[in-house]
Amino acid sequence: MAAVNRNMFDATVTPDRPHGAPLMILPLNLVALIVSYVDDPADLARLCRTCRVLNYMALPQLYKHITLTSYDKIRYRDEEPEGMGSASPFSMGLNAIITRPYATLVRSLTLRGIWRELELEEHARVGRVPDSAMMLNIAVRAAVDKMTELESFSWELNTKMLETVYLGLAKLPKLKSLTIRFPSSRHPRPTIVIPPMPQLQYLRITDIDPLCYPDDMSTLLWKCRKLRELNLHWSPRMRNEQEPSVMVHDYFRKCIAAKQPVSVRKVGLQNLYALHTEEFNVAVDNAALEEVTILNNGGADLSMNTFVDSTWPTMPKQDLRLKSLRQDAIGRKHAEFVGSFTGLERLYFVNASLNPSDDINSPRPLIASTALTPPGSDNPSSETHGSGPYSTMAANSPSRQASIRDLYLNNITLNHAATLRHLLLPARWPLSASAVARLVHASPQLEQLGFATEFNDMESLGLLLPFLRKLVALRLLVPTGPTSDATRASVSKSVKYAFPSTHALANAQSFADIVEVDDEVLMERLSESLADQQVFHRLKVISMGRKGFQLGGYYTVPADEGDQQGHVQLQTPSGSRAPSAEEARNQDKAQDRSPSFGVPGSASNSRTASQSNGHPPSSLGKRRREDETPAAEQEEEPTPNVESFDNAPCLHPVFSDGRHWRRRVRRVGWEVLQRWEIWGLDKQEL
């Protein structure tokens, strides 16, 4: 781009318009800042067509991240075919990169969808690559050669990437991220030795099929000394059909021969079905691993996989420093592994199923499956660390499931609870109040927590939340499993039709019934129950089953209005009461001036508030804001235990100076919840 005169940023652009306001009256540096927040390609394209100045500002933003999608059929918009008068948007996008002087603006390129290959079977019989596939790779290579500043490349098409593109990527000096998807269909293609890319930091390869596409990636893994994240996804056919075709040694053979193990910080393995060999212990540097994800296909007969998966050792031969562990496995062997080391900060048990419509705990929007999405594969089965998976058979008997659950909880409590910040437990483990209490007792650092609950009311929850001082996100799961499904189907139906929505909460017989209550009733209960600023001021998001709610600022309502609503407040320690009368009046005025959602009120002295309201001091101790309590005045935190929870008094709603405190609550969808790991990482994807 040409250099810009410095005076442009001190002037304004005000072309004369006869029938309206000037086009732009803001300084150009402010306009540039506004344009930088526009991320929709259509909006950016409209800005580029507005005027020269906006074209100059929006063009780099428009070409920075390019995603081109190929469709197998012509699509129509308002009865007009896409690309009418030229070619498909996919082809025209490649043409713009190659023929126009904008390729150096591209930082990220993603190619996805379906590329039609004519006479594929005939070409496969004679050992030829279809001309359409070859021409596609030539066009992509021409585009890659022009994108000298490219940092991320993703090939997610249904056809195989050929050597010509690999060689072009190897020449890019700034390429840091590479994603490759192999075809799901089995049509022969040339075998390729993937060249080294020294600057690569992120590598993701999906749908690996060694029998049909045995590309050699050992050189790539050996030469990428800056690689920090490695994700390998094998075709689900390997595990479903028990094909012993995966030889892990082949992927790391050059690292093993050179005695230079892959030193990555994050490792993800999905659908790995392979024998363990001793050489694998020197292929990956376990001491450098911090985050591990292991996902397997639960749709296969796990008993048939045991002969292969049992070869992987339970205990690693090196000391682990894992900080994050994510898997869909539940088994005794994996539970023993969790107890073999300490120091986990994030632990996620994946609950999501392959069919989102059957997942009662999923807040994800239902999207019809399309050819654009790589075929998913996965579900519960196996295990863990960087040395490989510890697959286990699913426990069928309830007693065996209970013993495995208790083993997990004991190992988590003893080895990791003191350092855990994120914890997502399986929905098939409905925890009692006493079990949650023991977990809370040992986990003072929890910031995000998700578990299945047996609570049939919200009283017990109020006993637990006050002791999670750093909790910002809470996910309550509806228990799943054969017994839970049958009970939920019968009880929920009877409660739904037997009581009006206003009484359904009081007559709920299970947590699933609470989730089915109208959103307005749930939000009103949450608004009242989470109004104690001393206890819940850090909590920002809470979900019940598939429903998510975002918590905002505090406000007050007249006492008579609060009494008429007739809701019961959650049980909370009386040491964590409302603010004092004077501070409540000041905060009430501030809230009246700024009623917008999401502006929390200030906290106040809990002891003064409890005395002004006539409540006795709490037997559980004083609860104050950590950031407002001087170090010299901080008292030792009370230690929660089962007895203190059971004996805690049930208190009245929080009020001050004749007014009841409430908290703003609104229903939110996946666009908000996905920002939090206990929702965003609950998926069968690496």
Side-chain angles (χ1 to χ4, degrees):
M1 302 296 289
V4 181
N5 192 316
R6 188 172 181 180
N7 295 331
M8 288 183 64
F9 297 93
D10 299 325
T12 60
V13 179
T14 57
D16 295 332
R17 303 184 66 184
H19 302 291
L23 179 61
M24 292 189 303
I25 60 174
L26 297 175
L28 293 184
N29 56 346
L30 185 56
V31 174
L33 180 62
I34 295 174
V35 171
S36 67
Y37 285 93
V38 181
D39 54 7
D40 183 72
D43 293 338
L44 289 170
R46 296 185 190 99
L47 288 174
C48 290
R49 294 192 295 266
T50 301
C51 67
R52 292 182 180 180
V53 175
L54 287 180
N55 179 278
Y56 179 87
M57 295 179 177
L59 198 64
Q61 192 80 357
L62 177 63
Y63 277 86
K64 185 175 183 180
H65 304 288
I66 296 180
T67 298
L68 302 178
T69 304
S70 176
Y71 298 94
D72 58 341
K73 297 180 180 179
I74 298 177
R75 300 201 314 166
Y76 291 83
R77 296 181 184 273
D78 300 328
E79 300 183 356
E80 183 176 305
E82 286 186 338
M84 184 177 64
S86 57
S88 69
F90 181 90
S91 300
M92 295 307 297
L94 285 177
N95 177 71
I97 297 174
I98 297 172
T99 60
R100 296 183 181 180
Y102 306 137
T104 55
L105 301 176
V106 181
R107 299 295 183 269
S108 171
L109 176 63
T110 299
L111 307 177
R112 63 181 186 180
I114 297 179
W115 183 259
R116 298 181 64 181
E117 298 176 334
L118 301 177
E119 301 177 352
L120 185 60
E121 298 294 339
E122 180 180 353
H123 284 82
R125 285 197 301 268
V126 299
R128 275 182 53 180
V129 176
D131 290 342
S132 59
M134 192 66 210
M135 295 303 295
L136 168 66
N137 281 265
I138 293 174
V140 174
R141 169 64 186 273
V144 167
D145 287 343
K146 289 202 172 266
M147 295 183 290
T148 56
E149 302 295 320
L150 191 67
E151 298 177 358
S152 175
F153 180 82
S154 180
W155 179 284
E156 300 176 15
L157 293 165
N158 68 324
T159 185
K160 187 174 183 291
M161 188 166 73
L162 301 181
E163 185 177 22
T164 181
V165 179
Y166 280 115
L167 294 177
L169 294 174
K171 295 180 180 180
L172 295 177
K174 298 182 179 181
L175 187 66
K176 298 179 181 179
S177 175
L178 177 62
T179 298
I180 303 171
R181 175 194 168 191
F182 285 97
S184 300
S185 60
R186 288 188 164 186
H187 293 95
R189 289 289 191 274
T191 300
I192 299 170
V193 177
I194 303 179
M197 303 173 193
Q199 304 301 321
L200 207 61
Q201 299 180 10
Y202 173 89
L203 176 61
R204 182 172 183 262
I205 305 178
T206 65
D207 292 275
I208 303 173
D209 191 340
L211 289 184
C212 194
Y213 306 108
D215 287 4
D216 186 357
M217 64 182 74
S218 60
T219 302
L220 178 66
L221 295 176
W222 175 39
K223 293 294 185 179
C224 292
R225 307 314 303 172
K226 296 183 179 181
L227 193 65
R228 292 297 173 263
E229 184 170 355
L230 175 63
N231 293 315
L232 300 177
H233 169 281
W234 283 266
S235 171
R237 181 170 41 247
M238 307 295 106
R239 182 172 288 273
N240 292 340
E241 300 181 8
Q242 291 87 46
E243 289 185 0
S245 58
V246 179
M247 302 298 173
V248 181
H249 171 271
D250 294 343
Y251 302 112
F252 300 95
R253 58 186 177 85
K254 291 191 176 180
C255 297
I256 296 172
K259 296 182 179 180
Q260 296 179 351
V262 178
S263 181
V264 293
R265 191 172 66 88
K266 300 180 182 180
V267 165
L269 304 175
Q270 187 166 355
N271 296 333
L272 175 59
Y273 183 75
L275 291 170
H276 176 268
T277 60
E278 291 297 329
E279 293 176 330
F280 187 76
N281 294 326
V282 296
V284 178
D285 185 5
N286 291 335
L289 281 178
E290 295 183 7
E291 302 182 20
V292 173
T293 298
I294 301 294
L295 302 174
N296 290 309
N297 184 13
D301 185 356
L302 299 180
S303 61
M304 298 295 294
N305 297 330
T306 302
F307 300 110
V308 172
D309 295 331
S310 61
T311 62
W312 293 87
T314 303
M315 303 300 177
K317 294 186 177 181
Q318 300 179 8
D319 293 335
L320 294 179
R321 298 180 177 87
L322 291 184
K323 301 300 181 183
S324 176
L325 183 60
R326 174 173 165 253
Q327 76 289 319
D328 56 2
I330 293 181
R332 182 170 297 276
K333 200 171 184 180
H334 177 257
E336 293 173 354
F337 169 76
V338 173
S340 65
F341 65 100
T342 60
L344 270 180
E345 296 180 0
R346 299 178 298 277
L347 177 60
Y348 310 98
F349 287 88
V350 176
N351 293 290
S353 64
L354 293 178
N355 187 1
S357 61
D358 295 337
D359 193 348
I360 60 175
N361 290 307
S362 176
R364 296 172 183 265
L366 299 181
I367 302 177
S369 60
T370 65
L372 301 182
T373 305
S377 38
D378 1 316
N379 237 31
S381 182
S382 175
E383 98 51 60
T384 63
H385 86 284
S387 294
Y390 309 106
S391 178
T392 56
M393 291 186 296
N396 296 322
S397 63
S399 59
R400 182 176 177 82
Q401 290 180 359
S403 64
I404 293 176
R405 178 197 63 193
D406 294 340
L407 179 59
Y408 268 110
L409 293 178
N410 288 337
N411 288 339
I412 292 173
T413 303
L414 294 176
N415 291 40
H416 309 289
T419 57
L420 271 180
R421 296 191 295 110
H422 298 176
L423 177 61
L424 175 62
L425 295 175
R428 69 188 73 177
W429 295 349
L431 303 182
S432 62
S434 59
V436 178
R438 287 193 294 271
L439 188 62
V440 169
H441 173 102
S443 308
Q445 306 298 326
L446 278 178
E447 299 173 2
Q448 299 184 37
L449 174 63
F451 63 94
T453 173
E454 291 179 343
F455 306 156
N456 58 359
D457 57 23
M458 301 178 67
E459 299 278 339
S460 301
L461 183 61
L463 297 174
L464 305 175
L465 290 180
F467 298 96
L468 297 173
R469 300 297 303 276
K470 298 184 178 180
L471 193 69
V472 294
L474 176 64
R475 184 181 183 188
L476 302 177
L477 303 171
V478 176
T480 59
T483 305
S484 301
D485 293 340
T487 304
R488 182 172 61 252
S490 59
V491 175
S492 298
K493 185 176 181 180
S494 61
V495 172
K496 180 177 180 180
Y497 293 102
F499 302 100
S501 60
T502 54
H503 301 290
L505 193 59
N507 294 280
Q509 301 181 31
S510 67
F511 183 70
D513 297 330
I514 296 179
V515 176
E516 295 302 324
V517 174
D518 289 346
D519 292 350
E520 294 297 330
V521 178
L522 282 177
M523 288 190 293
E524 181 60 36
R525 170 58 68 88
L526 291 173
S527 176
E528 176 185 357
S529 302
L530 302 177
D532 196 328
Q533 302 177 44
Q534 296 297 319
V535 180
F536 307 114
H537 70 281
R538 290 184 181 272
L539 190 62
K540 303 300 182 184
V541 180
I542 184 171
S543 77
M544 299 180 177
R546 67 181 184 280
K547 297 182 179 180
F549 303 93
Q550 187 176 29
L551 308 178
Y554 297 87
Y555 65 99
T556 61
V557 297
D560 54 353
E561 179 181 339
D563 294 337
Q564 290 175 2
Q565 293 170 353
H567 295 303
V568 179
Q569 168 69 14
L570 290 180
Q571 294 183 10
T572 56
S574 56
S576 304
R577 302 309 303 164
S580 63
E582 180 179 358
E583 293 181 350
R585 285 192 295 270
N586 295 335
Q587 186 174 4
D588 190 18
K589 295 178 181 178
Q591 291 293 338
D592 292 339
R593 291 193 299 267
S594 178
S596 60
F597 179 86
V599 182
S602 60
S604 59
N605 189 294
S606 59
R607 178 175 297 178
T608 305
S610 61
Q611 292 175 357
S612 65
N613 290 326
H615 295 295
S618 170
S619 59
L620 298 179
K622 180 171 65 175
R623 313 291 298 184
R624 300 177 62 181
R625 268 187 193 261
E626 293 177 344
D627 53 353
E628 294 185 358
T629 306
E633 298 180 8
Q634 287 184 354
E635 298 182 8
E636 183 178 357
E637 293 292 337
T639 302
N641 53 49
V642 179
E643 291 75 21
S644 64
F645 288 148
D646 294 337
N647 297 328
C650 179
L651 301 176
H652 299 288
V654 181
F655 66 93
S656 177
D657 197 23
R659 296 178 66 86
H660 287 266
W661 281 92
R662 296 288 187 270
R663 191 169 188 183
R664 289 181 174 84
V665 180
R666 66 168 177 173
R667 176 80 184 269
V668 293
W670 179 244
E671 68 281 355
V672 174
L673 296 178
Q674 65 180 342
R675 304 170 189 170
W676 307 85
E677 285 82 354
I678 55 175
W679 288 280
L681 294 180
D682 189 12
K683 58 183 179 180
Q684 290 288 349
E685 300 174 15
L686 292 176

